[in-house]
Amino acid sequence: MAGRDQPVRGTGKNTAMVAIMKCRANEDEYLEFLEKLHQSRRHDWEWSFTRGRDLWSKGRHLLLITSMDGDGRFEVTRVGKSVRRRGAKDQDQQLRVTHVRRLRRPLRLVELLDGLTAAQRRHLVEEGHQSKGTGEAIRARLLRMRPELTEAVQLIEGAIDSWDFGDSRAAQEVALQRDATLAVTRMAGMQAPQLAEWDPPAEELYDDTVPPLFLDMVGAARHPDELLDSPEQRPQDRAARSDRLSNQRALEDHLITQDTRAMHGWLSEETNHVAWRRFREHGRTLLVANANRTQAEQALGCDIIFYNVTRHSLVLVQYKKLDAERGGFYYPTSDRNLAKELRRMRSLDRYAERHAGLADEQRLDPSPSWIKLCHPRSVLPHTTEMIHGMYFSRRQFESLRDDARLKDGRGGAVRFGYKNVPAYLDNTLFTRLVETGQIGSTGTSTDLVRQQVIRSFRGQRNLVLATLSGE
């Protein structure tokens, strides 16, 4: 555990290299399918492919994705970020690709490589990662020939520059709060690319202090008045803007102001360590608050409280960590707070069930209480990728504790892990089900939301509170 003699500073290492990947016919078709699918859902997405390990032996890359044109010649059609994963077979390497951006004007590969010097060509690899000098030359030529790619390349390279914080408890709490913040934007069906653009804390982090807020690292407003009086809404501009705003939009802003100040009141009663952000998309507004009040060494994880105002629907997610970054397990008997937290969830689920009306919307699961098990993090990436995890409703979690398949720990101990859990929801499926109204309570009032905020703080848990308004 890091203490006063073991501070952690925010630092990053840029390990960007350049690699070339030549799509096979089925890969190009699958990429087209993924682009169309996820463009409609407005979510970031990832893709994996496999190649010979000898040409992909190094870590992360600015990836130039090439496809064959009608004349059988390769052209650069996309750029992305590639990261090595586990070996697929004896001599194969699996690679994960994110941040894929399509070129508006494809660039023939031979034209891109024509300008390399003889020395650079000697080190050129037809497919795979390039040497440092050759890669830098290819990148420079790409941006000269397609300058409109500059922003996309900078985003990809920024995503490669991560914050490596080791075993700092304070930083791990920031990582959980980041993940929960990304989760609520996905539950709202919104993109949030700005959440990939953050600065590591400049100050030293100590585990006997309250951790920094993730939204502060991306420059969120700290008070609802700052949030609502953004530059485009300054008092001197309101008269000029009023003619352009419809009555409906003005009413929406008024209601959002009330919601925001109500949220601020709930949180300010418990802590002054709060940061805010507002997202607007397709006529809907998502208000997100990060709040802490517990020292990192005493914090028991992070809670999501997500409230859909239009649907009167509440979702509570409690984070629990596996005991290792790879292949870890969660042991319920080792969690001294689990019994108390499950009592809270049972009480919430029973309350929601009692107050659900016959005329309320139907749900696949109307219980609001969920648990996410995920690996601890030691690195925070500049991406909008969430921490891989397993989601369970409270009922499913309690049922699995009695499942013989999970009693494979030492001495028959119950443990949850990817190796033995028979079924769970992943990030994509869980957030999509919340977004489409298939998960969450019905007929829930804001009074219940406020009660859950108080219970999260009293349970020594950090909080991400979000409300979604509009159709």
Side-chain angles (χ1 to χ4, degrees):
M1 179 183 72
R4 280 291 178 188
D5 57 340
Q6 293 178 298
V8 175
R9 288 184 181 273
T11 57
K13 299 178 184 177
N14 196 329
T15 56
M17 300 180 69
V18 173
I20 296 173
M21 180 256 185
K22 293 185 174 180
C23 278
R24 298 160 186 170
N26 61 323
E27 292 172 333
D28 196 38
E29 291 172 3
Y30 188 55
L31 265 178
E32 294 270 0
F33 166 75
L34 287 175
E35 285 175 329
K36 291 176 182 176
L37 174 67
H38 291 281
Q39 183 178 22
S40 65
R41 293 184 178 180
R42 308 183 306 279
H43 286 165
D44 288 337
W45 52 279
E46 63 180 57
W47 168 59
S48 294
F49 69 96
T50 302
R51 289 294 188 271
R53 188 176 301 175
D54 56 333
L55 297 178
W56 300 86
S57 60
K58 296 186 180 179
R60 307 173 182 190
H61 304 89
L62 167 63
L63 182 67
L64 278 54
I65 302 171
T66 68
S67 306
M68 199 172 286
D69 65 13
D71 298 324
R73 291 179 288 190
F74 281 98
E75 56 184 12
V76 182
T77 56
R78 303 167 181 87
V79 293
K81 168 194 167 186
S82 66
V83 179
R84 286 193 311 154
R85 303 183 86 168
R86 63 187 182 276
K89 288 186 284 190
D90 289 345
Q91 299 302 318
D92 287 343
Q93 177 68 54
Q94 189 178 70
L95 295 109
R96 179 168 61 93
V97 183
T98 58
H99 292 75
V100 177
R101 300 292 185 270
R102 193 175 190 120
L103 274 67
R104 293 198 300 271
R105 298 181 296 144
L107 175 61
R108 284 189 170 167
L109 186 59
V110 291
E111 294 180 21
L112 175 64
L113 303 179
D114 269 350
L116 298 180
T117 65
Q120 290 163 351
R121 281 189 168 277
R122 282 197 297 271
H123 294 96
L124 179 66
V125 176
E126 184 177 344
E127 184 180 39
H129 70 255
Q130 307 296 323
S131 67
K132 185 174 186 296
T134 301
E136 288 175 350
I138 292 172
R139 177 191 180 281
R141 280 188 58 78
L142 175 70
L143 295 183
R144 276 200 300 272
M145 300 174 79
R146 295 293 185 270
E148 65 270 20
L149 283 178
T150 301
E151 185 176 347
V153 169
Q154 287 175 344
L155 175 65
I156 291 164
E157 291 176 337
I160 294 172
D161 188 12
S162 301
W163 173 28
D164 188 343
F165 52 77
D167 61 356
S168 164
R169 284 282 301 274
Q172 287 173 8
E173 292 301 320
V174 175
L176 290 181
Q177 199 166 64
R178 166 192 173 273
D179 190 75
T181 302
L182 291 169
V184 296
T185 62
R186 293 192 183 189
M187 292 179 198
M190 293 186 180
Q191 288 182 311
Q194 59 269 55
L195 294 180
E197 301 172 11
W198 49 268
D199 294 316
E203 72 277 7
E204 297 176 350
L205 298 188
Y206 296 99
D207 290 352
D208 59 355
T209 60
V210 177
L213 300 161
F214 172 67
L215 281 179
D216 270 343
M217 293 164 55
V218 292
R222 294 192 59 86
H223 189 277
D225 288 336
E226 298 174 38
L227 182 81
L228 293 164
D229 293 333
S230 53
E232 71 271 20
Q233 291 181 302
R234 291 174 300 177
Q236 61 265 39
D237 296 337
R238 285 176 183 155
R241 292 182 67 245
S242 61
D243 292 337
R244 299 194 302 272
L245 287 174
S246 67
N247 291 334
Q248 182 177 355
R249 179 64 178 271
L251 175 61
E252 178 193 341
D253 283 344
H254 174 69
L255 294 175
I256 290 167
T257 302
Q258 290 182 322
D259 289 341
T260 308
R261 293 197 170 130
M263 286 172 62
H264 180 261
W266 303 339
L267 296 175
S268 63
E269 289 174 3
E270 305 296 327
T271 180
N272 60 3
H273 201 50
V274 183
W276 297 83
R277 177 60 61 98
R278 177 177 59 190
F279 302 90
R280 265 189 167 143
E281 193 174 306
H282 304 298
R284 294 166 300 146
T285 299
L286 178 71
L287 300 172
V288 183
N290 290 178
N292 300 342
R293 76 172 188 183
T294 304
Q295 295 175 1
E297 62 189 4
Q298 297 174 353
L300 301 177
C302 184
D303 283 356
I304 293 174
I305 297 176
F306 178 83
Y307 183 60
N308 187 314
V309 176
T310 305
R311 291 187 175 131
H312 303 287
S313 180
L314 172 68
V315 174
L316 167 71
V317 182
Q318 284 207 338
Y319 279 73
K320 299 285 185 183
K321 287 190 284 189
L322 304 175
D323 63 0
E325 249 186 281
R326 294 181 181 274
F329 289 91
Y330 169 75
Y331 292 83
T333 54
S334 300
D335 187 346
R336 60 185 174 85
N337 298 288
L338 178 63
K340 180 173 65 176
E341 290 164 349
L342 287 175
R343 283 196 299 272
R344 170 192 176 185
M345 291 184 180
R346 285 190 215 104
S347 174
L348 175 59
D349 289 350
R350 284 195 297 266
Y351 183 95
E353 187 176 3
R354 286 197 307 270
H355 288 78
L358 294 175
D360 289 340
E361 292 181 338
Q362 296 300 305
R363 304 274 193 264
L364 288 175
D365 191 332
S367 300
S369 302
W370 290 77
I371 292 172
K372 179 179 181 178
L373 301 183
C374 59
H375 296 294
R377 295 299 296 264
S378 60
V379 174
L380 203 65
H382 281 279
T383 70
T384 55
E385 298 169 38
M386 292 178 62
I387 303 172
H388 294 292
M390 300 180 282
Y391 293 82
F392 307 95
S393 68
R394 189 267 310 165
R395 287 188 178 92
Q396 182 190 12
F397 180 85
E398 292 193 300
S399 175
L400 285 172
R401 291 174 69 189
D402 297 324
D403 192 313
R405 290 170 290 186
L406 273 63
K407 297 178 181 179
D408 61 353
R410 183 174 298 176
V414 174
R415 60 181 188 169
F416 286 71
Y418 284 97
K419 296 178 181 177
N420 64 355
V421 168
Y424 60 87
L425 301 183
D426 62 11
N427 288 321
T428 301
L429 187 53
F430 176 77
T431 56
R432 182 65 173 159
L433 287 172
V434 176
E435 177 193 350
T436 55
Q438 300 303 309
I439 285 177
S441 66
T442 59
T444 300
S445 70
T446 54
D447 287 339
L448 181 60
V449 180
R450 180 176 181 274
Q451 291 171 19
Q452 293 308 310
V453 168
I454 294 169
R455 296 195 71 171
S456 289
F457 282 124
R458 291 181 180 173
Q460 294 180 265
R461 301 185 66 84
N462 296 323
L463 180 64
V464 171
L465 172 63
T467 64
L468 177 65
S469 305
E471 295 294 339

